[in-house]
Amino acid sequence: RLLTSRRAPREHPAAPFYYFPCQRWLAVEEDDGQIVRELVPVDEAFVKKDSDNDGQSPATLGLEQKAKSTTYTVKVKTGDKKNAGTDANVFITLYGSKDDTGTVSLKASKINKNKFERGKVDEFTVESVDIGDLKKIKIGHDNRGNSTGWFLEWVEIDAPSLGQCLKFPCGRWLDKSEDDGATERILFPAVLQTREYIPFVPYEITVYTSDIFGAGTDADVFIVLYGTDGICTQQKFLCLNKREQRMYFERNSVNQFIVELEDVGDMIEKIRIGHTGGGLNSGWHLDRVAIRRLLPNGK
């Protein structure tokens, strides 16, 4: 099968692959009943087979050839005022020192089924080319629907590749009949509210599901990487939504993800991979995982 991915890596020098064979079930009703396993790396020759594709499928080549990209986590706080929520379609544009994202619709909140409700925080993922240092944003709505007026408290944008989490205060209506009548606003980051941390780096994670009956899973798969001296990443779910859970990790499939995580260094000593166990078909027979750390040019 073709490799699948949500976004492309940055341009990078050659980086070593780490291979983590599993060849066991992650299923309550199979094997030892465990749905999480810790895997240690082995030599490449141990897992490579002549029948494997060599990573040069059209999808892989397309992945490598795409422009530099990065992922932003966007949190939006609707104010706690009467009629503060909106049913309109909300959009955002991020402006950086190099480029901008273009207009991005904020469609699926990762927290709430009904988004932009009074007093609630919604979270979205915005994937884009690398736009450089984040300078400002434009956020607004199309004024369509029954209740369109919106009181926006703030927007927070986490940019792992920059090692920055920026807060964009608003505290105003985006409403044709309130305030100045504007339905979109330009917002700038509050310098004193900017949180800085060590920038994340992108990892290419390729997951091979076994070719045996019932091997695939619809459960939510996560991974943790461990480096030397006890350094590890956060627990990262590989799928963004239920649709991706249904699409990926099918029997005899190869799924590739580019994810930004804490930098665990040049050596990956082990990984922890598993799933939440939810869904009708949660049992999973994992063959192996291949991982390499990607770095931008010049690093």
Side-chain angles (χ1 to χ4, degrees):
R1 301 191 181 198
L2 293 181
L3 303 182
T4 57
S5 177
R6 288 191 300 276
R7 69 178 195 79
R10 300 171 180 81
E11 297 172 12
H12 54 81
F17 275 100
Y18 290 81
Y19 295 93
F20 299 85
C22 181
Q23 299 173 354
R24 293 185 67 180
W25 283 99
L26 286 79
V28 173
E29 304 296 334
E30 301 283 353
D31 202 334
D32 59 359
Q34 298 299 310
I35 60 174
V36 178
R37 299 200 181 279
E38 290 194 348
L39 309 178
V40 295
V42 300
D43 185 82
E44 176 181 0
F46 187 83
V47 295
K48 295 293 274 187
K49 304 171 187 174
D50 291 340
S51 60
D52 288 344
N53 74 53
D54 58 3
Q56 294 303 308
S57 72
T60 306
L61 293 174
L63 194 74
E64 295 289 339
Q65 291 166 352
K66 286 183 181 178
K68 292 181 181 180
S69 61
T70 192
T71 302
Y72 302 92
T73 298
V74 178
K75 291 184 178 180
V76 179
K77 171 68 183 295
T78 299
D80 191 10
K81 291 177 177 286
K82 184 179 179 181
N83 299 322
T86 185
D87 296 328
N89 297 306
V90 175
F91 59 84
I92 192 170
T93 305
L94 280 56
Y95 296 89
S97 56
K98 298 178 183 176
D99 203 347
D100 66 72
T101 61
T103 302
V104 179
S105 295
L106 300 180
K107 289 185 176 295
S109 172
K110 297 171 72 175
I111 300 176
N112 304 304
K113 185 175 181 180
N114 294 321
K115 55 188 183 294
F116 310 123
E117 294 292 306
R118 174 179 175 175
K120 300 291 187 181
V121 175
D122 292 287
E123 181 178 319
F124 306 88
T125 299
V126 173
E127 298 173 1
S128 167
V129 298
D130 182 5
I131 63 173
D133 293 335
L134 197 52
K135 299 297 185 183
K136 65 180 180 180
I137 64 172
K138 179 171 69 175
I139 188 166
H141 62 77
D142 62 3
N143 204 44
R144 294 181 180 178
N146 295 324
S147 302
T148 59
W150 185 34
F151 190 90
L152 172 61
E153 196 70 56
W154 49 256
V155 177
E156 182 181 88
I157 299 179
D158 193 359
S161 63
L162 300 176
Q164 285 189 330
C165 185
L166 301 98
K167 181 72 71 71
F168 296 79
C170 181
R172 295 182 68 178
W173 287 97
L174 285 75
D175 188 342
K176 285 199 169 183
S177 60
E178 296 280 355
D179 203 331
D180 59 359
T183 57
E184 64 179 41
R185 299 204 179 276
I186 301 289
L187 305 178
F188 296 89
V191 177
L192 296 179
Q193 295 185 59
T194 297
R195 179 170 58 86
E196 297 192 351
Y197 53 93
I198 298 173
F200 285 21
V201 297
Y203 288 88
E204 178 187 283
I205 300 174
T206 308
V207 180
Y208 298 78
T209 298
S210 303
D211 186 14
I212 65 174
F213 180 76
T217 185
D218 293 331
D220 210 358
V221 173
F222 62 81
I223 195 168
V224 182
L225 312 186
Y226 293 83
T228 55
D229 301 322
I231 298 172
C232 68
T233 69
Q234 62 183 289
Q235 180 173 293
K236 179 71 173 181
F237 286 95
L238 295 179
C239 294
L240 288 177
N241 50 48
K242 297 285 187 183
R243 182 184 64 83
E244 290 191 356
Q245 288 175 225
R246 292 191 295 269
M247 287 174 55
Y248 299 155
F249 312 118
E250 296 294 305
R251 173 180 175 174
N252 194 31
S253 67
V254 181
N255 299 118
Q256 191 174 76
F257 306 89
I258 308 297
V259 296
E260 288 173 329
L261 291 167
E262 296 91 340
D263 190 353
V264 299
D266 294 331
M267 293 291 295
I268 304 175
E269 292 204 337
K270 68 176 182 179
I271 65 172
R272 186 170 182 262
I273 188 167
H275 61 77
T276 56
L280 295 176
N281 302 300
S282 63
W284 183 33
H285 198 282
L286 171 63
D287 186 73
R288 66 190 189 275
V289 180
I291 300 175
R292 64 172 171 164
R293 175 173 173 257
L294 308 178
L295 287 176
N297 285 334
K299 291 191 179 181

